[in-house]
Amino acid sequence: MYKATIFVTLKESVLDPQGVAVKGSLHSLGYAEVKDVRIGKRIEVLIESDNRRKAEQQVHEICEKVLSNPVIEQFRFELEEVA
């Protein structure tokens, strides 16, 4: 079995209004050193498989088809074997 930890974020070219709002809040709290904030999603998925390559392929397909919008988002994932 494998656990995929998936990170979905907006592409750099896409404005992140939530990130802008958080950055403004941080600045108003005195954290002027913060230069940029980007908001994303972290998702965990368990895949029952004894083949790492197949599990990676499945996670990639899941990300492309369901968990991300390829027009405005990008994704990456980490895959670890679990008992």
Side-chain angles (χ1 to χ4, degrees), residues 9-48:
T9 57
L10 290 171
K11 291 181 178 180
E12 289 296 321
S13 61
V14 176
L15 177 66
D16 183 350
Q18 286 181 308
V20 171
V22 170
K23 177 181 159 189
S25 295
L26 291 171
H27 283 187
S28 70
L29 291 171
Y31 296 102
E33 303 82 9
V34 174
K35 297 301 176 196
D36 194 24
V37 176
R38 303 288 288 179
I39 304 294
K41 300 178 275 189
R42 178 181 176 272
I43 304 157
E44 290 184 2
V45 176
L46 288 176
I47 304 280
E48 190 169 325

Side-chain angles (χ1 to χ4, degrees), residues 56-75:
E56 286 177 350
Q57 181 182 356
Q58 288 178 330
V59 172
H60 192 271
E61 288 175 9
I62 289 167
C63 290
E64 283 186 328
K65 294 179 180 179
V66 179
L67 298 180
S68 72
N69 176 344
V71 175
I72 62 170
E73 294 176 319
Q74 59 192 6
F75 66 87

Side-chain angles (χ1 to χ4, degrees), residues 1-6 43-59 62 77-83:
M1 184 170 315
Y2 292 91
K3 179 174 84 169
T5 304
I6 303 161
I43 304 157
E44 290 184 2
V45 176
L46 288 176
I47 304 280
E48 190 169 325
S49 177
D50 57 358
N51 183 315
R52 182 179 186 86
R53 190 173 198 182
K54 184 177 177 184
E56 286 177 350
Q57 181 182 356
Q58 288 178 330
V59 172
I62 289 167
F77 61 88
E78 300 166 359
L79 194 64
E80 68 177 284
E81 193 168 2
V82 294

